Amino acid sequence: MLRTLALALLGLCLTQAARSEETEPLECPQCGTWAIHMASPSGYIGDEMVVSATQVSLPGCGQFDAEVQNSQITMEGPHRSYKLTLALRPTSWTPLCEVEERSTLKMEATISVGYLADGSLGEFSVYNDKSPQAVYSAMAWNYARYSPCDSGAAYGSSACLELANARLIKTLAYESVSVFSGKKSGSQFNAARFAAAVFDFCLIRERESGLGGWPTVWALSCQHERLQTKLNELRVWNDCRFKSKSSTCKPVDERFDKSPKQDR
């Protein structure tokens, strides 16, 4: 029985490899909408960069006309990895990616397999002529090719939750600014401080939740639940103040559920 199972698995691997070899290389591996799950500066996590064959839009960096100057393909097992160098000519830019008139920035991109799909995971770094260090870098997923949320693995699950939590933190920050701006609310709520405190708690709570990257996955999940709960509380409080105009509406604070983890 074990021999039959081993032969079946070998056949499956050979079939997948053959299918990958039969697949043509991506014509434009860097193209698409990329959801950023790691970035430097880190404030752009959760944002999206958009790349076409001739243009690049980087959140917090600018808009650029793009030209591929060099590209190469290597095989990593049954999958392909693409390395590209692009010249970026700015049409609009921020101080972070400022460039002298008639000059260009350089982008290095490595587009690789994200679990099952070639071209689904990208690493992007932008350089100017003044420093060997990247002025802007991002690791991002092309969800049209493969979603890390579907991977069932720790790294993909972490990426999925990092994106979701970054977007929740930004929503919570924007909505709290809108609620508190110009008003004596009686609350000292700070979205960034709250998110950091929650994550510190969740990391400690989940430190023994599995091996490898799984404790981080569970910590991110723990943080996600508390961020969503706090956002709901903020909205309820805002509705109470402006719709019912009751003086008994409870202001939002930075307290959160600190109950120990439950057996899974």
Side-chain angles (χ1 to χ4, degrees):
M1 181 176 179
L2 290 176
R3 183 172 181 274
T4 302
L5 178 60
L7 289 172
L9 290 173
L10 177 61
L12 177 61
C13 291
L14 291 173
T15 300
Q16 290 178 333
R19 286 176 179 172
S20 178
E21 291 173 359
E22 291 171 1
T23 304
E24 293 294 325
L26 295 171
E27 184 175 341
C28 184
Q30 76 275 22
C31 291
T33 299
W34 297 86
I36 299 172
H37 85 97
M38 295 179 66
S40 178
S42 60
Y44 303 109
I45 296 174
D47 290 346
E48 292 182 340
M49 55 186 294
V50 180
V51 182
S52 72
T54 58
Q55 293 183 316
V56 172
S57 175
L58 301 176
C61 186
Q63 312 282 333
F64 305 89
D65 291 331
E67 181 183 355
V68 176
Q69 295 187 317
N70 184 50
S71 65
Q72 63 183 56
I73 301 175
T74 58
M75 296 301 297
E76 296 181 354
H79 298 285
R80 296 181 178 88
S81 177
Y82 306 81
K83 293 185 181 295
L84 305 100
T85 302
L86 298 88
L88 304 183
R89 190 172 301 280
T91 56
S92 65
W93 64 93
T94 70
L96 177 64
C97 297
E98 187 173 3
V99 62
E100 295 180 0
E101 188 176 358
R102 297 183 181 179
S103 295
T104 61
L105 296 172
K106 180 179 73 171
M107 172 184 276
E108 293 182 351
T110 300
I111 314 298
S112 56
V113 60
Y115 294 103
L116 299 176
D118 285 355
S120 53
L121 180 62
E123 296 181 58
F124 303 87
S125 298
V126 178
Y127 301 86
N128 60 26
D129 293 333
K130 299 178 181 179
S131 171
Q133 301 297 321
V135 297
Y136 184 101
S137 60
M139 182 172 286
W141 287 83
N142 188 322
Y143 274 62
R145 292 172 180 161
Y146 189 79
S147 167
C149 306
D150 297 333
S151 68
Y155 181 74
S157 299
S158 290
C160 177
L161 284 164
E162 284 165 351
L163 282 161
N165 288 3
R167 290 165 178 165
L168 263 179
I169 292 168
K170 290 178 182 181
T171 301
L172 186 59
Y174 276 116
E175 293 199 21
S176 61
V177 167
S178 176
V179 169
F180 300 143
S181 181
K183 303 178 181 69
K184 294 182 179 180
S185 62
S187 173
Q188 299 299 315
F189 180 76
N190 180 290
R193 185 174 58 208
F194 172 76
V198 169
F199 192 54
D200 287 344
F201 163 78
C202 290
L203 280 174
I204 294 172
R205 194 185 87 152
E206 302 295 338
R207 60 189 169 190
E208 296 181 0
S209 298
L211 301 175
W214 284 107
T216 301
V217 174
W218 288 114
L220 288 165
S221 178
C222 165
Q223 184 193 37
H224 183 87
E225 292 173 358
R226 285 151 182 78
L227 289 170
Q228 186 63 63
T229 296
K230 189 59 62 176
L231 181 59
N232 294 341
E233 290 175 5
L234 180 67
R235 289 171 174 172
V236 167
W237 178 48
N238 194 40
D239 285 345
C240 179
R241 290 195 308 149
F242 289 99
K243 291 182 180 179
S244 68
K245 300 188 182 300
S246 171
S247 59
T248 61
C249 299
K250 183 181 178 181
V252 170
D253 56 32
E254 293 177 28
R255 287 178 292 184
F256 58 90
D257 176 14
K258 294 185 179 179
S259 60
K261 69 177 181 180
Q262 302 296 316
D263 292 335
R264 297 186 179 92

